[in-house]
C-alpha cells in the first residue's frame, strides 16, 4: 500500500466542506493545541459557541473575513497507516480553476452533498471535473445527515440520483458515505445513529483505498529534465560522465533496456541508472527521480524523451485537447498563440479551432461558442511549432497534460488534457442529424457483456435480447464470434487486432444506441483499456453504457468448454488464448457482476433487465 | 499475473518531488540561489540539492540573510558545511541595512526577523537572482498552506496571495520579467515529522542546538529563551539551567527552546510525533503577532 494519499475536496462552505476537513484533522488528532486555541479565540470573538472548525483551513485574511474559501489550501495529516495531503478547493463556479488545480494531482476526490438539498448542479459539476482530471476514485459524502434525521431513505435517494448521473461519466470507482461533519458521524468513527449503514467510516476508507495500480506502469516514458555533465570535475572518472536527469513519467526502465530517444529516433541502451545522490539502481519506475546513463553518446537535450522502441508516445504537432481556461483578463479565441509547456518541453502553439464549449453543469456542448472565458471548458484543436511527445491524458496524466502561458504576462492561462492526435477523420465534417435523439421513439444504450470464453455471455445476451424484444423494446445482439465472420473477418487474435475488434464492435454498438436501440454486446474483450475506450466514446456521445461482468471462474468455463477451445489452448494448438496464456483483466467496478451462484442464464438476464429498467426510468 | 510492488514510501515520494522541483528551477530559471541559514529545513533542502545534481556540484550559490543576532553554533555549522561541500556562500547582512539607514530597529536588540525582508530583496536585486529556493513548508503556517511551489514575486518582491498562478500537475511556470523573481519551495509538502524522519534516515548533520543540551534559560511570555548576549534576564526574571533543545532556529532574540531529553534524530522523531503544539506556536515569538502575521510579512516579500 502506498504511504501517501493525495485527496482533493470539492464542495462549498454551505455543504460543510471546511467543517468536514476540520473534523477529520481534529478527530484524527492532527490539530495542535495552539491551532485549536486560536480557532476557539476567533470563534468566541464572533459569538459562536462551538469552535468553528472551518477556521482551521481558511488561511487567508480575506477568506476568514468573508467566510469563504478562495484558493487551494494544502493540509497534512497522518494516521499510523498512511500520510494524507488534502488539497482543499473552493466549490463555487467562479473558482473552477482552483478546483482544477487541486484536482490535477489527486488520487481521490471527496465530493460533498448536503443531504437536505440532494444532488445539485454544483455536485454534478464537481463530479464532472473530477473525472475530467482523471481522478481514479470518487467518494461522495452525503453530509448533514443529522438534519434529515439520519434517514436511510434520504441517503439512498441521493445515492441513486448521483449514480444515474455518474453513469454518463468515466468514473471507475464511486462510493457513498452518510456523514455529519458537525457531529462527527462516520467521519473517523462509525456512526451509532445510522446502524443501517454497513460501510466503513470516511477515514477508514481513505486509509484503505488502493492507489498504486492507478499509475501507468505499462508505457515507459522518461522526459529528460536536466543534463548532468560534471566535465570540469577534478575526478578523472567523472570527466566523461553524461547523465540524463528526470522523473520517470510512466512504466519501468531497466538497466540494459533498449531505449529510443525522441524526437531524434536514435536507439541505444540504458547503461546505468542512479538514484539521487548516486545509489545504483537496477530499474526505475513511474514517480522516481533518477539519472540515466546511456551506452552511446547521442545528442539528447532537455525536452527530449526516452521510451522503448516498440512502445512510443505520439509524436506530432496537431492534437486535440480539453482545455480549462483560467485567466480573468483575457479570453481564449481561435487563432490565439501561446507558449505551451508539456512535460519538460516548451514550445509555441496556436489554437486552431474551438470545437465546442462545454456547459459544466449540464454537459451540453455549445458548438457555436466563439471563445472560452474564465473557468470555461471546451475542446480545442492545437498546432505546435515543435512536435510534442504525448499520450492521451486518459492513458497518462504525465505525458497527456499541458499548460498554456500567455507571453505578454507570463501567466498560466489554461490547463489542457490531450485527448489524442488530431485525426484526419476529424477534418471530415460531421453531419449532425436533423432528427435529435430525444425526438426518436426510444432512447438507446449499450449493454456490454464481458467475460471469459465459455462464461455464458452469449446465452445471457440472447435471453436478454429475447425478453427485451418480447416486451416491445427494440434491441439487437452483437455477438463477438458472429461478427468475426463479416465485419471483423480481416482481424486476427494478436493484441492489436483484438483492440481493433473491440473498437469496431464498440462503434457499431454506439451507432445502434444512437439510433434508439438497446445494443447488446457479447464479447470476451479481455483488456480493461479497450473497454475503457468504448466506455469513453459512449460517454463522449452522451450515450448510456452498462458494463456487465459475467464472472464465471476459469475452472467452470474450462469444464464447460463448449467449443473445445480450452483443450486446444492447453494442448498448445492455440496461442494467446484468454485465461490460459493471455490475461483477462477483470472489470474492477462493473455496473453489474453476474456469478454462477446468481442463478441460470434466465435469472441472470432478469438481473440485467432490472438494471436497464432502473436507469431508463 | 506477476505482481511486483513498484511502490514508494512517503519519504521516497517527497524526496523525488523535491529533487524534481530543484532540477526544474535549475533547468528553467537563470541565476537561482538557495537560502541557507543552518536551520534544519535549509540543511535538508541543501542535502536534496546535493543529491539532485550528483555527481556534479550544486550549480548555484547559497545565500544567508544574517540578522547579526545569531547563535554562534549555527554560524560555525554554516561555515563548516559550506567549506565541506565547496559551496559558494553569499551573506546578506541586516546590520549593513541598519547602518545604512535602510531599515530601523524598533529598539536596540529587538527581533530582526521582519527586517530580513529588506536585506533579502536587496540581495536578490543586486545579484540579479531569478529564483530563490526557500525551505518553507505548507504545514508550518496557514498563509504558507496557500502558497504555490513556484511562487511569483513582482518587481517589489511582493506576494499577491489572491492572484497566484494556477499550478497544475508537476508543470511549474517560472517565467518572469527582469526585476521580478520566483521563490521556489521544494519542501512544500513536507511536515516537521517528515523532515526529522528524513534527517534520521539520511544521517544528516545539524547544528547541536537541535538536540538536548544543558543551557541557561529564562522564562518569558510562556516561552523558554536562551540567555545570550541578546537575551538578558530582567530584574524580575530568574534564569535557571535546564535540558532543552530548539525546534526552530531563527533570530536569537525571539527563538525559544523546549525542555527535552531528545539527544538523537530518533529521539526527536518520537518527540515530534507526540507533540501537541506546532513548532512555530511553541517557540516563535514573531509568529504570535496576529492571526495574519505571516500573511502580512509574506506579502512584503518575506521568505
Amino acid at each position: 500500500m502506498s504511504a501517501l494519499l493525495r485527496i482533493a475536496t470539492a464542495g462549498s462552505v454551505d455543504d460543510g466542506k471546511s467543517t468536514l476537513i476540520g473534523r477529520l484533522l481534529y478527530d484524527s488528532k492532527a490539530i495542535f493545541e495552539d491551532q485549536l486555541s486560536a480557532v476557539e479565540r476567533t470563534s468566541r470573538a464572533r459569538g459562536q459557541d462551538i469552535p468553528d472548525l472551518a477556521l482551521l483551513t481558511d488561511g487567508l485574511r480575506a477568506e476568514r473575513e468573508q467566510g469563504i474559501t478562495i484558493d487551494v489550501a494544502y493540509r497534512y495529516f497522518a494516521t499510523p497507516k498512511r500520510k494524507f495531503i488534502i488539497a482543499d478547493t473552493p466549490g463555487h463556479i467562479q473558482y473552477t480553476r482552483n478546483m482544477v488545480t487541486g484536482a490535477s494531482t489527486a488520487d481521490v476526490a471527496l465530493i460533498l452533498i448536503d443531504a437536505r438539498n440532494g444532488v445539485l448542479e454544483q455536485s454534478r459539476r464537481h463530479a464532472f471535473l473530477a473525472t475530467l482530471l482523471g481522478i481514479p476514485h470518487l467518494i461522495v459524502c452525503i453530509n448533514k445527515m443529522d438534519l434529515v434525521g439520519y434517514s436511510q431513505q434520504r441517503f439512498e435517494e441521493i445515492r441513486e440520483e448521483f449514480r444515474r448521473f455518474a453513469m454518463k461519466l468515466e468514473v471507475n470507482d464511486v462510493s457513498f458515505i452518510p456523514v455529519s461533519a458537525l457531529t462527527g458521524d462516520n467521519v473517523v468513527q462509525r456512526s451509532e445513529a445510522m446502524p443501517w449503514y454497513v460501510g466503513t467510516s470516511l477515514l477508514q476508507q481513505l486509509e484503505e483505498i488502493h492507489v498504486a495500480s492507478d499509475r501507468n506502469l505499462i508505457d515507459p516514458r522518461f522526459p529528460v529534465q536536466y543534463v548532468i555533465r560534471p566535465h570540469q570535475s577534478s575526478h578523472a572518472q567523472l570527466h566523461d560522465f553524461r547523465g540524463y536527469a528526470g522523473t520517470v513519467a510512466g512504466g519501468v526502465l531497466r538497466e540494459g533496456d533498449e531505449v529510443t530517444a525522441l524526437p531524434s529516433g536514435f536507439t541505444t541502451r540504458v547503461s546505468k541508472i542512479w538514484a539521487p545522490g548516486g545509489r545504483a539502481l537496477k530499474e526505475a519506475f513511474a514517480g522516481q527521480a533518477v539519472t540515466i546513463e546511456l551506452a552511446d553518446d547521442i545528442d539528447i537535450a532537455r525536452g527530449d524523451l526516452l521510451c522503448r522502441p516498440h512502445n512510443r508516445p505520439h509524436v506530432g504537432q496537431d492534437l486535440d485537447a480539453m482545455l480549462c481556461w483560467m485567466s480573468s483578463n483575457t479570453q481564449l479565441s481561435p487563432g490565439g498563440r501561446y507558449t505551451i509547456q508539456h512535460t519538460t518541453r516548451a514550445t509555441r502553439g496556436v489554437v486552431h479551432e474551438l470545437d465546442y464549449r462545454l456547459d459544466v453543469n449540464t454537459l451540453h456542448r455549445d458548438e457555436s461558442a466563439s471563445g472560452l472565458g474564465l473557468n470555461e471548458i471546451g475542446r480545442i484543436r492545437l498546432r505546435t511549432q515543435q512536435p510534442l511527445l504525448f499520450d492521451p491524458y486518459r492513458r497518462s496524466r504525465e505525458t497527456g497534460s499541458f499548460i498554456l502561458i500567455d507571453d505578454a504576462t507570463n501567466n498560466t492561462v489554461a490547463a489542457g488534457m490531450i485527448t489524442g492526435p488530431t485525426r484526419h477523420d476529424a477534418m471530415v465534417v460531421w453531419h449532425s442529424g436533423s432528427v435529435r435523439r430525444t425526438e426518436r421513439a426510444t432512447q438507446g444504450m449499450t449493454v456490454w457483456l464481458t467475460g471469459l470464453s465459455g462464461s455464458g455471455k452469449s446465452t445471457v445476451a440472447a435471453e436478454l435480447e429475447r425478453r427485451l424484444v418480447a416486451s416491445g423494446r427494440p434491441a439487437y445482439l452483437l455477438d463477438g464470434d458472429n461478427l468475426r465472420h463479416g465485419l471483423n473477418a480481416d482481424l486476427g487474435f494478436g493484441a492489436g487486432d483484438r483492440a481493433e475488434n473491440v473498437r469496431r464492435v464498440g462503434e457499431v454498438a454506439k451507432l445502434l444506441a444512437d439510433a434508439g436501440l438497446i445494443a447488446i454486446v457479447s464479447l470476451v474483450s479481455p483488456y480493461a483499456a479497450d473497454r475503457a475506450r468504448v466506455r469513453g466514446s459512449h460517454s463522449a456521445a452522451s450515450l448510456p453504457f452498462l458494463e456487465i461482468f459475467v464472472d464465471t471462474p476459469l475452472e467452470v468455463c474450462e469444464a464447460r468448454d463448449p467449443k473445445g477451445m480450452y483443450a486446444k489452448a492447453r494442448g498448445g494448438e492455440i496461442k494467446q488464448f484468454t485465461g490460459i496464456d493471455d490475461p483477462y483483466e477483470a472489470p474492477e467496478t462493473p455496473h453489474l457482476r453476474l456469478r454462477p451462484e446468481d442463478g441460470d442464464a434466465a435469472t441472470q438476464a432478469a438481473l440485467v433487465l432490472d438494471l436497464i429498467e432502473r436507469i431508463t426510468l | 499475473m506477476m505482481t511486483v510492488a513498484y511502490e514508494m514510501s512517503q519519504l521516497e515520494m517527497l524526496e523525488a518531488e523535491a529533487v524534481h522541483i530543484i532540477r526544474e528551477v535549475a533547468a528553467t530559471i537563470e541565476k537561482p540561489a538557495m537560502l541557507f541559514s543552518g536551520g534544519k529545513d535549509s540543511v535538508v533542502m541543501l542535502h536534496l540539492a546535493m543529491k539532485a545534481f550528483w555527481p556534479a556540484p550544486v550549480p548555484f550559490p547559497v545565500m544567508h540573510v544574517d540578522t547579526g543576532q545569531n547563535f554562534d553554533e549555527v554560524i560555525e555549522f554554516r561555515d563548516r558545511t559550506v567549506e565541506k561541500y565547496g559551496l559558494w556562500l553569499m551573506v546578506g547582512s541586516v546590520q549593513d541595512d541598519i547602518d545604512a539607514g535602510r531599515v530601523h530597529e524598533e529598539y536596540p536588540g529587538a527581533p530582526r526577523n521582519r527586517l530580513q525582508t529588506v536585506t533579502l530583496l536587496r540581495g536578490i536585486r543586486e545579484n540579479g537572482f531569478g529564483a530563490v529556493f526557500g525551505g518553507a513548508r505548507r504545514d508550518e503556517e496557514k498563509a504558507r498552506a496557500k502558497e504555490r511551489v513556484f511562487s511569483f514575486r513582482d518587481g517589489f518582491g511582493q506576494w499577491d496571495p489572491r492572484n497566484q498562478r494556477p499550478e497544475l500537475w508537476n508543470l511549474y511556470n517560472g517565467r518572469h520579467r527582469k526585476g521580478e523573481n520566483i521563490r521556489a519551495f521544494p519542501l512544500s509538502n513536507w511536515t516537521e515529522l517528515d523532515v526529522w524522519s528524513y534527517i534520521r534516515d539520511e544521517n544528516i548533520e545539524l547544528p547541536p542546538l537541535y538536540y538536548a543540551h544543558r543551557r541557561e534559560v529564562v522564562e518569558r511570555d510562556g516561552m523558554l529563551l536562551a540567555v545570550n548576549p541578546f537575551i538578558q534576564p530582567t530584574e524580575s526574571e530568574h534564569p535557571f539551567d535546564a535540558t532543552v533543545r530548539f525546534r526552530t532556529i531563527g533570530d536569537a532574540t525571539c527563538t525559544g527552546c523546549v525542555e527535552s531529553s531528545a539527544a538523537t534524530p530518533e529521539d526527536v522523531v518520537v518527540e515530534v510525533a507526540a507533540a501537541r503544539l506546532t513548532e512555530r506556536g511553541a517557540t516563535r515569538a514573531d509568529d504570535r503577532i496576529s492571526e495574519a502575521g505571516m500573511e502580512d510579512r509574506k506579502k512584503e516579500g518575506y521568505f
Side-chain angles (χ1 to χ4, degrees), chain B residues 113 223 248-250 254-255 279-280 282-288:
Chain B
N113 271 354
M223 284 194 301
T248 68
I249 293 179
C254 66
T255 305
E279 53 185 347
R280 288 189 165 268
T283 62
R284 290 296 271 270
D286 52 326
D287 289 333
R288 294 185 170 183

Side-chain angles (χ1 to χ4, degrees), chain B residues 42-117:
Chain B
S42 71
V43 174
V44 164
M45 179 167 65
L46 180 61
H47 180 86
L48 288 161
M50 309 274 300
K51 292 184 84 168
F53 300 104
W54 177 94
V58 173
F60 40 74
V62 295
M63 175 161 71
H64 182 210
V65 179
D66 181 358
T67 65
Q69 300 179 149
N70 298 297
F71 294 97
D72 294 342
E73 299 92 323
V74 178
I75 296 300
E76 188 273 328
F77 173 84
R78 177 195 77 185
D79 293 343
R80 195 155 43 80
T81 305
V82 164
E83 175 77 29
K84 187 164 78 179
Y85 297 120
L87 301 166
W88 172 20
L89 171 72
M90 315 184 66
V91 178
S93 160
V94 174
Q95 189 64 49
D96 287 354
D97 286 304
I98 293 171
D99 294 345
R102 286 184 285 261
V103 288
H104 300 282
E105 280 184 294
E106 286 175 50
Y107 53 89
R112 291 177 172 178
N113 271 354
R114 193 165 190 153
L115 306 186
Q116 286 174 289
T117 302

Side-chain angles (χ1 to χ4, degrees), chain A residues 31 33-34 61 76 83 215, chain B residues 6 189 194 276 278 296:
Chain A
I31 290 178
E33 284 166 13
D34 50 319
R61 189 197 296 273
Y76 304 82
K83 172 177 169 164
R215 282 172 308 164
Chain B
Y6 289 116
N189 288 323
D194 294 326
R276 296 306 302 146
T278 62
D296 292 342

Side-chain angles (χ1 to χ4, degrees), chain A residues 10 43 118 133 144-145 166 177 194 206 266 288 318 354 365 395 425 432 481 552 600:
Chain A
S43 303
L133 270 292
K144 304 196 184 179
M145 288 301 292
I177 309 178
M194 292 175 273
L206 293 174
F266 287 117
Q288 286 187 311
D318 292 288
L354 175 65
R365 297 171 180 192
R395 188 148 183 115
D425 56 8
S432 306
D481 287 344
T552 309
D600 61 5

Side-chain angles (χ1 to χ4, degrees), chain A residues 104 133 319 321-322 340-345 388-394 396-404 414-419, chain B residues 168-171:
Chain A
S104 69
L133 270 292
L319 49 96
M322 295 300 294
I340 169 168
Q341 193 174 322
H342 169 260
T343 68
T344 57
R345 182 166 271 241
L388 295 185
L389 317 164
F390 64 91
D391 295 287
Y393 184 80
R394 188 182 315 195
S396 162
R397 272 183 175 185
E398 284 72 18
T399 53
S401 57
F402 65 85
I403 55 174
L404 295 184
M417 287 139 283
I418 299 172
T419 49
Chain B
L168 299 105
W169 301 291
N170 61 355
L171 298 174

Side-chain angles (χ1 to χ4, degrees), chain A residues 398-447:
Chain A
E398 284 72 18
T399 53
S401 57
F402 65 85
I403 55 174
L404 295 184
I405 297 168
D406 181 348
D407 295 302
T409 61
N410 287 323
N411 275 331
T412 304
V413 292
M417 287 139 283
I418 299 172
T419 49
T422 298
R423 295 170 61 127
H424 293 294
D425 56 8
M427 308 293 181
V428 180
V429 178
W430 178 266
H431 289 277
S432 306
S434 53
V435 179
R436 281 204 303 274
R437 202 176 282 154
T438 48
E439 292 166 349
R440 295 187 191 279
T442 55
Q443 308 300 306
M445 70 171 76
T446 294
V447 181

Side-chain angles (χ1 to χ4, degrees), chain A residues 73 108 258 277 279 293 315 336 358 379 450 471 563:
Chain A
V108 183
E258 261 203 333
R279 187 166 50 89
E293 285 186 85
V315 180
L358 198 67
R379 200 172 76 168
T450 169
S471 70
K563 298 167 202 155

